Amino acid sequence: MTLPYAIMIFITLQRISELIIAQSNTKALLARGAVEFGRSHYPVMVLMHASWLAVLWAMVGGAPVNMALLAVFAVLQAMRVWVLATLGRRWTTRIIVPKDEAPISSGPFRIMRHPNYFVVICEIAVVPLMFGLVWVAALYSVLNAAMLWVRIRAENAAYSPA
């Protein structure tokens, strides 16, 4: 197995496991009375991320791997783990607002308001660039920026006092 495919297997398995965890957390949060926001844009976000993965799978082949960007990717994974560990059972891929609970303000949330989005922004660019796929990094960075414009507005509105 080549390094590009090993990286893609890692990313794919990571995303699948995150979806399983997110689904479990979402069910638990909703059962406790939490409310979902931004439901209408969620399928578009999933399609964008799935197509990013599909394009990468189709394009990486025997591409050389930029080892400096692989190191950046490794740091991003550590940041991702920090975000998920900080959010714990509140982490989900949807915008789920628990009843009577303030937004998390510890861990990476002390440093920035949306650290998971920062990680995703970086990954969407770094992973394709690691394989020399500049056009994939550019295209999906633009698509992700548009998605995050919608998503962050929905999330900020969901947590704003009524």
Side-chain angles (χ1 to χ4, degrees), residues 25 82-92 104 106 109 116:
N25 289 348
W82 188 23
V83 170
L84 272 60
T86 301
L87 288 172
R89 298 289 293 160
R90 285 184 59 179
W91 180 80
T92 179
I104 301 290
S106 60
F109 294 88
N116 196 55

Side-chain angles (χ1 to χ4, degrees), residues 10-31:
F10 171 80
I11 293 169
T12 303
L13 292 175
Q14 178 187 56
R15 294 307 193 269
I16 290 168
S17 66
E18 287 177 354
L19 287 173
I20 292 167
I21 293 166
Q23 184 178 30
S24 173
N25 289 348
T26 295
K27 284 181 182 179
L29 286 164
L30 293 174

Side-chain angles (χ1 to χ4, degrees), residues 128-129 131-139:
L129 290 174
F131 301 125
L133 300 170
V134 175
W135 73 270
V136 176
L139 173 63

Side-chain angles (χ1 to χ4, degrees), residues 74-144:
V75 170
L76 291 170
Q77 298 322 293
M79 291 176 69
R80 175 187 299 281
V81 169
W82 188 23
V83 170
L84 272 60
T86 301
L87 288 172
R89 298 289 293 160
R90 285 184 59 179
W91 180 80
T92 179
T93 55
R94 297 178 179 269
I95 301 170
I96 308 292
V97 179
K99 283 178 92 170
D100 304 321
E101 291 183 37
I104 301 290
S105 59
S106 60
F109 294 88
R110 287 185 318 245
I111 301 165
M112 65 181 77
R113 187 160 181 176
H114 299 286
N116 196 55
Y117 298 150
F118 172 78
V119 170
V120 171
I121 288 165
C122 293
E123 281 179 335
I124 283 180
V126 167
V127 172
L129 290 174
M130 181 172 36
F131 301 125
L133 300 170
V134 175
W135 73 270
V136 176
L139 173 63
Y140 280 89
S141 290
V142 169
L143 292 173
N144 188 52

